[in-house]
Amino acid sequence: MINLKNTPPYGLDDLREIMALLRSPDGCPWDREQTHQSIRRNMLEEAYEAAEAIDEGDPEHLKEELGDVLLQVVFHARMAQEAGQFTLDDVIDGVCQKLIYRHPHVFAGEESQDALATWNARKRQETAQRTTADAMAAVARALPALPRPEKL
């Protein structure tokens, strides 16, 4: 048995520790055997369940589903850390850098009449999308059948 402090409310560091314990030799056999591919569907399902909770307008349901999405992020990041690829902190750092870069009107004092246009322009710069073909190639191939052509 693994001892974990039982003093809610828990925070991100607690979640990180719980996932590490679940993946450890003394943890859960099911959690240890998972791979990015084996839980890929779970990530998609949780994202759709969060979208459904948004559509329902139910904050309690949304809170639960966002927790499930966060669990998937932490799970994948933990597996990547174990493989020496990246950590949850790397994920967090990357998204913080992205948010700062794509919001120059907030973080760099630049004028912006259209924040969405600035966001999209900076996204195209980051991903070296110079042509329409480049932008189309950047659309996720894993999107469902109807949203993908809409995005294209």
Side-chain angles (χ1 to χ4, degrees):
M1 182 168 127
I2 296 174
N3 274 341
L4 181 69
K5 66 178 181 182
N6 190 11
T7 56
Y10 295 107
L12 183 58
D13 287 336
D14 297 310
L15 178 56
R16 186 189 326 241
E17 182 180 353
I18 289 167
M19 181 53 63
L21 291 171
L22 289 172
R23 297 270 304 167
S24 75
D26 293 329
C28 173
W30 184 89
D31 288 298
R32 276 195 315 271
E33 72 184 22
Q34 298 314 304
T35 66
H36 292 295
Q37 196 62 34
S38 71
I39 63 169
R40 176 185 181 276
R41 178 177 295 227
N42 299 20
M43 173 69 90
L44 295 171
E45 287 175 8
E46 298 304 348
Y48 281 116
E49 289 173 8
E52 182 177 298
I54 290 168
D55 292 344
E56 291 171 355
D58 180 347
E60 284 301 311
H61 189 199
L62 179 58
K63 178 176 73 172
E64 177 186 346
E65 296 306 337
L66 289 175
D68 291 345
V69 171
L70 178 58
L71 168 60
Q72 292 302 309
V73 171
V74 171
F75 205 153
H76 282 280
R78 179 64 197 182
M79 289 186 288
Q81 180 178 342
E82 292 167 2
Q85 298 164 333
F86 59 84
T87 67
L88 181 59
D89 289 330
D90 296 329
V91 173
I92 294 168
D93 178 65
V95 76
C96 288
Q97 288 188 43
K98 181 186 297 186
L99 288 170
I100 293 166
Y101 176 74
R102 293 188 187 174
H103 290 87
H105 54 289
V106 175
F107 298 104
E110 293 182 16
E111 293 276 331
S112 176
Q113 299 301 319
D114 187 349
L116 183 58
T118 299
W119 174 279
N120 287 330
R122 293 227 165 183
K123 182 176 181 177
R124 284 190 301 275
Q125 288 173 342
E126 284 174 4
T127 57
Q129 295 176 18
R130 291 183 203 95
T131 66
T132 301
D134 291 340
M136 290 175 72
V139 174
R141 289 176 297 286
L143 279 172
L146 294 177
R148 187 161 197 274
E150 181 180 285
K151 186 101 170 158
L152 287 169

